[in-house]
Amino acid sequence: MEPTTNVQSRAFEIADQSPLPRLTGLPDVSRVQYRPPVAVETVDFDTADRALSSHGILLRRTTGGPSPGWLVTLETAEGEMSATEELTKSDRKAAEGQDANPAQISVPGSLLDLIQAHLRGSQVLPVARQNILHAAVELIDSSGNVIAEIGDDQVAAMAVGTRTQGRVHHRREWTVALKAEFGPEKQADVFLDSVAKVLQEAGATSAPAPADVVDDRPAPIPDSQGEDDTTAVLRAALSSQVERLKAWDPLVRIDAYDSVHQMRVSARALRSIIQTYRPLFSEKEAKELNRELKTLGRILADARDSEVVRDMVDEKVAALPAGTVGTVVSPKIVKHLIRSFDDDYRKAHKRVRKELSGNWYFGLLDLLDGFIENLPLDPELTSKQKSDPASLLNPLVDDQLASVLAMARAVESEPDPIEQVELMHEVRKDAKRLRYAISAVSDSGLMEFDAATDSKMKVAKRLQGVLGEHRDSIMFGEHVLASARQEEKSGGNSFGYGVLFAAEFPLRAKAEKKFTKLVQRLGEE
């Protein structure tokens, strides 16, 4: 399985038997090639409560036609992801009519893993079956590459396992899917828009999702009528971060670059909302959720820290004075550091994967969903208070700002350098909390802070960044020092490690100066 993101495809429905329009006038298309119709069967899978289709996720098995196999498509933080697996022996038997019971079909575990944030251990069952007569037109560029395929499908769809099983829905679809040969240098959206325009001029309309065609269950009605303004603001702020966390989940599982960091940011943002606005929530529920999110942060921390240090090696080496690299700091040292940090990252990431596939994590996701659905505000808040979220949230933001400034003053008065470093880390966490608490509410679009608060958020972001550089420098230095000591124990020369270690001190001093200036500025805002 090789998951890919930013998959480019679109589907359209056509009400009559009109032929496909002329396609040779499309940009980048030199000629077209028609393929004869073939019989295809698809079976779509979901949970009993439609946890997948309700989030736009498609899990499908296809037999027959040019592309038999398993497919999952879902939206992630980096766009649409698509992953495939080949058919198993039992799948082929089913396709040949030797196994007519789709409930016995075994879905590949690699695909289920990508959607565990929604499945949470629940079983998937067949929910829809489609028999398709599939014809296709290949769009070919001037180099002879097939850059896209237009499908012309006669579809007979029916629900599986519901009271409407056996009721057949007939429709005709046109689909367009870009091929890998389309190339990153071409503008995919522009091309798809051009194809869509041609098809829509021929009478096509956007097609509904497959599950929508065969699922006649009534759609749930959001219970938001009569919701007070404060509840709406906090619910929106929390919901956006929970969805962001879930959107990074599959990317963490395939080890996409920076995904662990981004998932950790979402967990931190959720904690920041709960901690900053804690007086507005019921204490018991808020305390429990904050504790579980803190655990998630710790689970992700080791992998994130190892990733940061590993990716810093080349940058740190490149910043050394000319003539240092290759002589004092040998290629062997650089290679050893990268390999060592990468080994640490892979071990930590394996632990992350294990935790994200366990009941504790599924329970956390359930806890998040339940917290948002039944937002536990402090019962002592009056209707009048809740009708004015600004009057409730602004003082709490001011309290968080005061916490940052108080901690910063403690840094300046602390004589112990080691303790001072730890206090700076606490300032960084407080600055993050301030920034995330403001931005999450502002991004909800339901409440605006005043210009002064927005300015504080920007300064807090800069302060967080400077202290992050300071913290990363310390972390890098500690790992280099550990490697130097290991080299000495084995009888090697650790001088090159010492050069890298010493190079961090002026960087920290520079960050400390910026820290002092930014704290002063934050106090003036």
Side-chain angles (χ1 to χ4, degrees):
M1 177 191 69
E2 292 280 344
T4 57
T5 54
N6 292 317
V7 178
Q8 299 287 354
S9 62
R10 295 186 190 176
F12 304 88
E13 192 165 354
I14 185 76
D16 54 31
Q17 294 301 313
S18 300
L20 277 168
R22 181 181 175 86
L23 301 167
T24 51
L26 292 168
D28 299 312
V29 177
S30 295
R31 62 187 179 90
V32 300
Q33 181 170 312
Y34 291 83
R35 292 211 312 260
V38 293
V40 177
E41 182 188 74
T42 69
V43 178
D44 295 345
F45 292 77
D46 206 334
T47 61
D49 60 355
R50 302 302 192 267
L52 301 183
S53 58
S54 64
H55 288 88
I57 298 169
L58 175 66
L59 177 60
R60 171 174 289 178
R61 189 200 71 173
T62 300
T63 53
S67 303
W70 286 92
L71 167 72
V72 65
T73 62
L74 67 155
E75 283 296 325
T76 74
E78 293 187 341
E80 186 178 88
M81 174 189 288
S82 174
T84 59
E85 287 286 3
E86 294 183 356
L87 295 177
T88 64
K89 185 176 181 180
S90 61
D91 294 325
R92 294 190 183 93
K93 283 185 177 180
E96 295 167 0
Q98 300 177 35
D99 179 5
N101 185 2
Q104 302 302 317
I105 298 171
S106 178
V107 182
S110 60
L111 301 188
L112 293 176
D113 184 56
L114 295 175
I115 51 179
Q116 280 300 335
H118 302 281
L119 293 179
R120 304 173 195 178
S122 297
Q123 289 188 332
V124 294
L125 302 168
V127 295
R129 183 196 297 270
Q130 298 184 109
N131 293 306
I132 305 167
L133 186 63
H134 174 73
V137 181
E138 295 176 335
L139 308 184
I140 303 171
D141 65 12
S142 58
S143 300
N145 297 315
V146 178
I147 59 174
E149 178 183 288
I150 307 293
D152 186 354
D153 298 333
Q154 302 283 351
V155 182
M158 67 178 70
V160 176
T162 72
R163 59 187 173 82
T164 59
Q165 180 166 329
R167 185 186 300 170
V168 180
H169 301 257
H170 294 276
R171 69 182 188 277
R172 185 179 177 209
E173 285 186 352
W174 288 342
T175 58
V176 53
L178 300 187
K179 300 295 185 179
E181 291 79 0
F182 186 80
E185 71 281 357
K186 296 185 174 72
Q187 295 182 347
D189 286 337
V190 173
F191 181 81
L192 286 169
D193 287 343
S194 299
V195 177
K197 183 179 179 182
V198 171
L199 297 181
Q200 287 168 342
E201 287 175 348
T205 58
S206 295
D212 295 339
V213 175
V214 297
D215 189 358
D216 65 346
R217 298 172 309 146
I221 300 173
D223 184 17
S224 59
Q225 295 181 357
E227 186 169 82
D228 62 81
D229 292 345
T230 298
T231 299
V233 168
L234 292 174
R235 195 194 306 278
L238 289 164
S239 294
S240 65
Q241 293 303 322
V242 170
E243 291 308 309
R244 187 176 185 275
L245 186 147
K246 293 176 185 176
W248 280 106
D249 175 289
L251 296 168
V252 169
R253 294 172 187 274
I254 66 170
D255 196 14
Y257 177 72
D258 202 40
S259 56
V260 172
H261 173 223
Q262 294 300 332
M263 190 176 192
R264 194 179 177 203
V265 166
S266 297
R268 169 66 70 179
L270 285 164
R271 289 190 65 207
S272 297
I273 297 168
I274 294 167
Q275 290 174 313
T276 302
Y277 306 122
R278 176 170 284 187
L280 306 180
F281 296 111
S282 174
E283 183 177 358
K284 180 183 176 181
E285 287 86 348
K287 186 176 181 180
E288 179 187 14
L289 183 54
N290 183 63
R291 182 181 65 246
E292 297 303 302
L293 286 168
K294 186 176 183 179
T295 300
L296 177 60
R298 285 200 297 264
I299 289 169
L300 298 169
D302 286 346
R304 171 55 183 165
D305 290 348
S306 299
E307 182 182 42
V308 167
V309 175
R310 180 197 65 190
D311 294 344
M312 287 172 67
V313 174
D314 287 337
E315 174 191 339
K316 297 295 185 181
V317 170
L320 292 172
T324 306
V325 182
T327 54
V328 178
V329 179
S330 67
K332 179 183 176 182
I333 289 176
V334 177
K335 185 177 180 180
H336 169 76
L337 287 173
I338 293 176
R339 184 175 65 247
S340 174
F341 299 150
D342 191 56
D343 286 346
D344 290 343
Y345 172 75
R346 292 186 183 282
K347 291 175 184 176
H349 188 267
K350 186 176 181 180
R351 292 193 294 271
V352 169
R353 285 283 308 272
K354 182 179 179 180
E355 291 291 345
L356 296 191
S357 298
N359 290 331
W360 171 83
Y361 176 65
F362 300 155
L364 169 60
L365 294 175
D366 288 342
L367 190 64
L368 283 166
D369 289 346
F371 192 91
I372 291 170
E373 184 177 353
N374 303 295
L375 199 66
L377 290 187
D378 183 351
E380 294 187 5
L381 290 172
T382 66
S383 298
K384 183 178 180 180
Q385 287 176 310
K386 290 189 288 187
S387 67
D388 185 7
S391 67
L392 293 174
L393 273 60
N394 277 320
L396 298 176
V397 167
D398 290 339
D399 290 346
Q400 182 60 36
L401 173 61
S403 175
V404 175
L405 294 174
M407 190 66 69
R409 285 192 290 270
V411 171
E412 294 172 348
S413 62
E414 175 56 55
D416 184 350
I418 296 177
E419 185 63 26
Q420 193 177 59
V421 166
E422 291 305 312
L423 287 173
M424 290 179 74
H425 185 46
E426 292 303 313
V427 174
R428 181 193 178 201
K429 291 195 289 187
D430 270 6
K432 274 186 182 180
R433 191 174 301 139
L434 175 64
R435 172 196 166 195
Y436 292 150
I438 295 172
S439 63
V441 169
S442 297
D443 293 345
S444 73
L446 299 179
M447 174 182 156
E448 292 185 4
F449 288 101
D450 57 29
T453 302
D454 286 337
S455 181
K456 292 171 190 174
M457 181 185 70
K458 292 174 183 177
V459 178
K461 182 178 180 179
R462 290 183 60 192
L463 180 61
Q464 171 198 332
V466 166
L467 291 177
E469 292 171 5
H470 189 272
R471 185 74 177 180
D472 289 348
S473 175
I474 291 174
M475 192 163 53
F476 180 78
E478 289 173 347
H479 281 76
V480 169
L481 185 60
S483 296
R485 288 171 175 164
Q486 185 180 10
E487 183 71 15
E488 288 176 348
K489 284 183 179 179
S490 62
N493 186 344
S494 63
F495 185 74
Y497 292 100
V499 171
L500 279 168
F501 180 77
E504 294 304 304
F505 287 98
L507 297 177
R508 290 175 210 165
K510 185 178 179 180
E512 288 163 8
K513 287 182 179 179
K514 289 181 179 179
F515 162 74
T516 301
K517 292 180 179 179
L518 286 170
V519 168
Q520 182 179 359
R521 182 175 171 185
L522 189 60
E524 294 170 351
E525 291 290 342

